[in-house]
């Protein structure tokens, strides 16, 4: 029998023998990985929303009512020539009013009561999202602000950039929390593996005296940690899947609607495999550290 | 086979368990190590099994200095040595067959070879009918026979026994000594630590006597 086969067999027997302490260890790992997976799931969906918003990001160049046709045409030509610009569309005051009435029919009385059209004409500029697009768009907005006939500029990406910054910071904080939880889980796994080693101390002593290679002496401890971590991560993945399925059944369409995306998405194959491998890795590392007790 | 030169082992603040011990045991010999409690018999066996390292001097086995072995070399060396303890050191949760085949298993031997060797050696000690029994279901003598089977299953060159009959009545002790004599007649070097003078007389082999860590006698003289 190879050392791998021996280690798996002995580790499995030891897990079954450990009973409650193994369950506690799996539970701790599962909590840590469910937290990480939950953050990952939120992150994946928030990123999807941000990507969509970033792609749809526009710069609105509002024009004075008094702008001449030639100035407007010159401004449009200038914008179309810019590398950061993907498309340009002129929206007249009338078109702006029509849009408002179509988008907010319940507020149409408000505009009727005013007696005149309150909307300015504007040029809507769709920006490119490639690398360097943000810096170029920033420069462009400053340049356009000084052009004749321009009254104001609204640039969506500024607050989106701030939102991306906040999301990145939140992701970092979540990563730190998950890392702390995982460290705690690793300590629990190591403690359980040490308990198993203690329970097998007579066997280990005999193994050493008959000259068993250290891979046979320590292997089962490493594999036990690996199994605890892997099972814990799999349980976490299952819990997240159940929560996701329940939440998306109850609130999925509402949440997707608010976010302006088609539908919420679950973790991809890569993220799921990474989570499982993470569990296996943390468990194996904890098992390896604990196995050093068998000297 | 075994040679020690000015061997010493100290514990704590210079307490000598063994002092200036120089002796030689040839290949294929059967030697008793005797002396009162605290004489250093078990210490010498622990040094030969590399459970401990000498404080001074050298231990050579088959021309190899044991003081300088690495961790992996130590394990490789132990594969050539069988051991038997007074308290048997059997794994209580494993059957008799598993206790013996365990050695082959952790040394990575093929399953068929493990089974064959285990059955043969258990048959040799007369326990082929108790293969599936747990250690607690056996008498002290039977448990010691299992321990002897385990020591021999890997076909060692040297067998070390520390008070192997210490927990057994005189009849069972003779039975166990017969097994040691039998294995020695097949060419295995045997070193048995005991303070049972009657048993030593009955077996009638070379005797090394220790007292307070010192070599105080050898009969017959080498």
């Amino acid at each position: 029998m190879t050392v791998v086969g021996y280690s798996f067999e002995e580790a499995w027997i030891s897990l079954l023998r450990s009973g409650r302490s193994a369950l506690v260890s799996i539970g701790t790992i599962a909590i840590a990985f469910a937290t990480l997976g939950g953050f990952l799931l939120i992150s994946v969906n928030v990123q999807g929303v941000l990507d969509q918003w970033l792609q749809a990001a526009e710069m609105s160049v509002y024009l004075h009512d008094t702008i001449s046709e030639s100035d407007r045409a010159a401004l449009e030509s200038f914008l179309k020539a810019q590398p950061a610009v993907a498309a340009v569309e002129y929206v007249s005051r009338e078109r702006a009013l029509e849009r408002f009435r179509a988008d907010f029919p319940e507020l149409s009385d408000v505009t009727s009561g005013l007696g005149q059209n309150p909307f300015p004409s504007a040029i809507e500029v769709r920006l490119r999202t490639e690398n360097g697009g943000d810096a170029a768009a920033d420069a462009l907005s400053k340049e356009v602000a000084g052009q004749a006939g321009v009254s104001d500029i609204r640039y969506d990406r500024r607050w989106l950039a701030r939102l991306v910054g906040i999301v990145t910071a939140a992701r970092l904080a979540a990563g730190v929390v998950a890392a702390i939880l995982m460290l705690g889980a690793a300590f629990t796994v190591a403690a359980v593996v040490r308990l198993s080693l203690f329970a097998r101390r007579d066997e280990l002593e005999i193994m050493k005296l008959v000259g068993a290679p250290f891979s046979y002496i320590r292997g089962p401890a490493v594999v036990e940690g690996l199994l605890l971590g892997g099972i814990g991560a799999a349980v976490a993945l299952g819990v997240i899947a159940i929560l996701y399925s329940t939440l998306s059944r109850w609130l999925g369409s509402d949440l997707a609607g608010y976010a302006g995306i088609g539908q919420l998405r679950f973790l991809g194959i890569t993220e799921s495999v990474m989570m499982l491998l993470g569990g296996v890795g943390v468990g194996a590392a904890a098992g390896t550290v604990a196995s050093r007790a068998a000297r | 086979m075994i040679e020690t030169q000015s061997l010493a082992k100290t514990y704590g603040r210079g307490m000598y368990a063994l002092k200036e011990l120089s002796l030689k045991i040839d290949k294929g010999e059967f030697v008793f190590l005797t002396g009162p409690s605290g004489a250093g018999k078990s210490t010498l066996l622990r040094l030969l099994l590399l459970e401990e390292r000498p404080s001074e001097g050298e231990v050579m086995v088959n021309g190899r200095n044991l003081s300088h072995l690495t961790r992996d070399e130590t394990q490789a060396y132990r594969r050539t040595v069988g051991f038997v303890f007074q308290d048997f050191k059997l794994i209580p949760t494993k059957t008799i067959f598993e206790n013996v085949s365990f050695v082959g298993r952790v040394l990575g031997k093929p399953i068929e070879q493990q089974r064959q060797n285990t059955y043969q050696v258990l048959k040799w000690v007369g326990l082929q009918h108790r293969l599936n029994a747990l250690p607690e279901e056996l008498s002290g003598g039977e448990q010691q026979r299992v321990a002897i089977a385990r020591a021999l299953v890997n076909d060692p060159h040297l067998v070390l026994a520390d008070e192997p009959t210490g927990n057994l009545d005189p009849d069972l002790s003779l039975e166990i000594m017969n097994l040691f004599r039998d294995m020695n007649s097949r060419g295995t070097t045997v070193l048995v630590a005991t303070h049972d003078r009657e048993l030593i007389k009955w077996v009638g082999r070379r005797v090394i006597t220790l007292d307070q860590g010192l070599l105080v006698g050898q009969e017959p003289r080498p």
Side-chain angles (χ1 to χ4, degrees):
Chain A
M1 181 180 273
T2 63
V3 66
V4 177
Y6 173 81
S7 298
F8 269 92
E9 197 180 315
E10 288 297 316
W12 185 248
I13 292 168
S14 178
L15 268 188
L16 296 179
R17 205 186 292 151
S18 302
R20 198 176 292 174
S21 59
L23 285 180
V24 168
S25 179
I26 288 171
T28 322
I29 281 268
I31 289 169
F33 275 87
T35 309
L36 177 71
F39 285 140
L40 212 59
L41 188 62
I42 293 168
S43 171
V44 160
N45 282 287
V46 167
Q47 190 60 53
V49 173
L50 283 178
D51 286 347
Q52 209 158 325
W53 287 357
L54 278 169
Q55 270 190 341
E58 288 187 350
M59 181 189 285
S60 299
V61 180
Y62 294 103
L63 307 173
H64 284 297
D65 293 345
T66 55
I67 189 170
S68 67
E69 280 295 314
S70 60
D71 279 349
R72 200 197 80 202
L75 188 58
E76 272 190 67
S77 307
F78 169 77
L79 287 167
K80 278 178 188 167
Q82 301 306 308
V85 174
V88 171
E89 186 190 355
Y90 171 65
V91 180
S92 67
R93 298 179 66 204
E94 293 72 29
R95 174 87 184 104
L97 182 61
E98 273 170 36
R99 265 197 202 169
F100 180 81
R101 282 178 174 156
D103 290 346
F104 306 101
E106 65 278 13
L107 296 175
S108 59
D109 290 349
V110 178
T111 50
S112 307
L114 286 173
Q116 60 172 1
N117 183 353
F119 294 99
S121 58
I123 298 174
E124 289 183 348
V125 181
R126 200 142 60 76
L127 298 164
R128 295 187 192 281
T129 54
E130 296 89 55
N131 288 346
D134 285 350
D138 276 341
L140 180 64
S141 74
K142 278 177 195 148
E143 205 174 342
V144 172
Q147 300 266 348
V150 174
S151 68
D152 195 11
I153 292 176
R154 288 273 180 272
Y155 176 33
D156 294 343
R157 286 214 190 180
R158 284 187 186 137
W159 69 266
L160 269 176
R162 253 177 254 140
L163 190 60
V164 169
I166 291 167
V167 169
T168 307
R171 213 177 273 168
L172 196 69
V176 171
V177 171
I180 292 168
L181 283 172
M182 241 178 280
L183 197 65
F187 276 114
T188 314
V189 170
V192 170
V193 173
R194 272 180 190 237
L195 277 177
S196 302
L197 286 172
F198 183 73
R200 293 176 57 226
R201 61 193 180 284
D202 292 340
E203 198 174 320
L204 292 175
E205 189 191 347
I206 294 162
M207 284 176 82
K208 275 183 261 178
L209 293 178
V210 299
F214 272 85
S215 52
Y216 275 84
I217 296 171
R218 292 181 175 171
V222 177
V223 173
E224 191 175 343
L226 179 151
L227 287 176
L228 286 170
I231 294 170
V235 168
L237 207 55
V239 168
I240 294 169
I242 291 168
L243 283 177
Y244 168 79
S245 142
T246 312
L247 266 179
S248 56
R249 205 177 312 134
W250 287 350
L251 302 166
S253 53
D254 290 344
L255 281 174
Y258 288 134
I261 54 174
Q263 61 175 50
L264 297 177
R265 58 167 286 223
F266 188 61
L267 298 176
I269 296 279
T270 313
E271 288 108 359
S272 305
V273 170
M274 291 290 282
M275 252 183 81
L276 285 175
L277 287 180
V280 165
V282 168
T288 304
V289 171
S291 74
R292 299 174 79 126
R295 275 178 283 189
Chain B
M1 179 83 192
I2 300 173
E3 190 173 356
T4 70
Q5 286 168 359
S6 305
L7 184 65
K9 179 71 189 172
T10 54
Y11 295 105
R13 282 178 288 181
M15 290 284 292
Y16 277 91
L18 280 179
K19 199 172 181 182
E20 284 291 320
L21 182 67
S22 297
L23 55 83
K24 201 173 169 189
I25 295 170
D26 289 329
K27 192 177 174 198
E29 259 196 291
F30 186 135
V31 177
F32 281 109
L33 201 57
T34 191
S37 296
K41 307 186 291 290
S42 298
T43 302
L44 178 58
L45 292 186
R46 279 203 297 274
L47 289 169
L48 285 168
L49 200 50
L50 280 175
E51 280 193 275
E52 299 192 34
R53 304 276 169 164
S55 306
E56 295 162 27
E58 285 175 349
V59 187
M60 314 279 281
V61 175
N62 278 335
R64 200 163 185 202
N65 192 335
L66 301 189
S67 309
H68 308 301
L69 297 188
T70 62
R71 197 187 65 173
D72 289 336
E73 285 170 344
T74 298
Q75 291 307 95
Y77 160 74
R78 283 174 174 167
R79 281 170 223 151
T80 65
V81 181
F83 62 89
V84 180
F85 292 105
Q86 181 177 353
D87 58 356
F88 322 132
K89 289 196 192 294
L90 300 178
I91 302 166
T93 52
K94 290 188 190 293
T95 65
I96 300 317
F97 189 87
E98 287 167 344
N99 260 286
V100 178
S101 65
F102 175 72
V103 177
R105 202 167 161 233
V106 299
L107 297 182
K109 296 204 167 163
I111 290 177
E112 203 41 53
Q113 193 187 338
Q114 285 175 36
R115 286 188 185 148
Q116 220 172 337
N117 292 353
T118 303
Y119 184 77
Q120 276 173 355
V121 78
L122 279 171
K123 191 177 170 194
W124 179 71
V125 298
L127 285 174
Q128 71 274 25
H129 58 294
R130 305 300 310 267
L131 302 181
N132 294 319
L134 289 170
E136 63 180 10
E137 297 168 44
L138 302 184
S139 68
E142 286 175 321
Q143 288 191 49
Q144 194 57 296
R145 279 194 272 157
V146 177
I148 290 170
R150 184 183 60 196
L152 288 181
V153 73
N154 198 30
D155 200 16
H157 305 304
L158 170 66
V159 169
L160 306 172
D162 193 3
E163 302 283 1
T165 57
N167 286 341
L168 306 177
D169 61 44
D171 287 344
L172 284 175
S173 298
L174 294 180
E175 205 177 280
I176 294 299
M177 278 304 141
N178 274 333
L179 288 177
F180 282 116
R181 273 209 301 210
D182 197 5
M183 74 173 81
N184 175 242
S185 68
R186 297 174 186 207
T188 310
T189 308
V190 179
L191 181 57
V192 177
T194 180
H195 58 263
D196 189 338
R197 302 299 295 184
E198 288 300 313
L199 204 64
I200 294 170
K201 214 178 284 176
W202 183 79
V203 179
R205 299 297 174 99
R206 183 178 158 205
V207 182
I208 294 172
T209 308
L210 301 178
D211 192 7
Q212 295 185 340
L214 294 166
L215 178 65
V216 293
Q218 291 197 66
E219 301 160 19
R221 292 194 176 278

